[in-house]
Amino acid sequence: NAGVTQTPKFRVLKTGQSMTLLCAQDMNHEYMYWYRQDPGMGLRLIHYSVGEGTTAKGEVPDGYNVSRLKKQNFLLGLESAAPSQTSVYFCASSYDPGGYTFGSGTRLTVV
Amino acid sequence: SNSVKQTGQITVSEGASVTMNCTYTSTGYPTLFWYVEYPSKPLQLLQRETMENSKNFGGGNIKDKNSPIVKYSVQVSDSAVYYCLLRCGNQFYFGTGTSLTVIP
């Protein structure tokens, strides 16, 4: 019963490097989300998807891109990492909006 | 506009009851969720509340309504961050979380 799996769990990037965070869910959920969590800010929505092949911008989409080529996977890409993107990233999925299952998070540091 | 506000930090002794507030403003017919984040563990859904009777409040416009979560006889293991999430249609708004510390 894997639920939502995020990889990697930790990563350190240099400014300007690129990387992709992978989120995989095995619950056949339609909705998937990427959030970032920063101290004192709570969770902020970066991008989300309401189904395979669809993506939409959230509250803080700048500097990130996403893709949902397969229903079970939601990829978050950073094309040119910046120190302001140092954060903990959470992926979530849901059968209907709001009833989330979250991944365990990815701690990203950009130096 | 829609917004959610939560108390930042609460510290209580073991065995006490604690109320964590979630004050929201909504222009639609909201659904409210409570999530908990234990250290080093993913967020978990605590409860979900659909405001089906919200039409009785200003025709769907709600301002500064509090929908708290109450925990009775808390234990040290209840120490965590509790998040309130407001859903209005396809828009989601997280509170900044309430950090609950239970001391023995």
Side-chain angles (χ1 to χ4, degrees):
Chain A
N1 208 11
V4 176
T5 303
Q6 289 182 234
T7 54
K9 295 189 183 304
F10 302 95
R11 186 73 185 269
V12 178
L13 285 180
K14 293 182 178 179
T15 298
Q17 285 185 319
S18 63
M19 77 163 295
T20 300
L21 306 183
L22 170 64
C23 177
Q25 53 97 0
D26 60 0
M27 297 168 285
N28 202 35
H29 284 170
E30 290 292 338
Y31 295 80
M32 296 188 75
Y33 315 82
W34 275 107
Y35 287 90
R36 59 179 289 173
Q37 182 187 40
D38 301 294
M41 301 291 288
L43 286 166
R44 292 183 293 170
L45 182 63
I46 304 171
H47 286 280
Y48 66 99
S49 168
V50 299
E52 181 179 324
T54 73
T55 63
K57 293 180 179 180
E59 183 183 357
V60 288
D62 294 341
Y64 305 94
N65 57 74
V66 288
S67 65
R68 184 98 180 269
L69 298 180
K70 294 183 179 180
K71 187 176 185 179
Q72 63 267 34
N73 295 334
F74 196 30
L75 306 179
L76 177 71
L78 286 73
E79 293 182 345
S80 179
S84 61
Q85 294 177 304
T86 294
S87 187
V88 180
Y89 291 85
F90 285 96
C91 176
S93 71
S94 67
Y95 180 73
D96 61 355
Y100 296 100
T101 300
F102 280 87
S104 56
T106 296
R107 187 173 296 277
L108 175 67
T109 302
V110 182
V111 297
Chain B
S1 60
N2 303 304
S3 65
V4 179
K5 295 179 182 178
Q6 292 185 253
T7 306
Q9 290 185 331
I10 298 176
T11 301
V12 297
S13 298
E14 215 168 17
S17 295
V18 60
T19 298
M20 288 176 280
N21 294 322
C22 174
T23 304
Y24 68 95
T25 295
S26 168
T27 58
Y29 296 93
T31 303
L32 211 64
F33 303 83
W34 278 96
Y35 290 86
V36 60
E37 183 187 22
Y38 295 105
S40 302
K41 293 189 177 180
L43 283 164
Q44 301 171 28
L45 178 65
L46 276 180
Q47 71 179 44
R48 173 178 179 159
E49 182 178 0
T50 299
M51 312 298 181
E52 293 179 343
N53 62 346
S54 62
K55 63 183 178 182
N56 295 323
F57 296 90
N61 293 313
I62 302 170
K63 182 173 173 57
D64 295 332
K65 179 174 175 60
N66 185 28
S67 182
I69 190 170
V70 182
K71 294 187 73 66
Y72 300 96
S73 189
V74 294
Q75 305 299 308
V76 172
S77 57
D78 290 319
S79 297
V81 180
Y82 293 79
Y83 288 95
C84 178
L85 167 67
L86 172 70
R87 171 200 162 193
C88 296
N90 279 332
Q91 299 299 313
F92 305 95
Y93 306 87
F94 266 104
T96 53
T98 295
S99 177
L100 175 64
T101 301
V102 181
I103 54 178

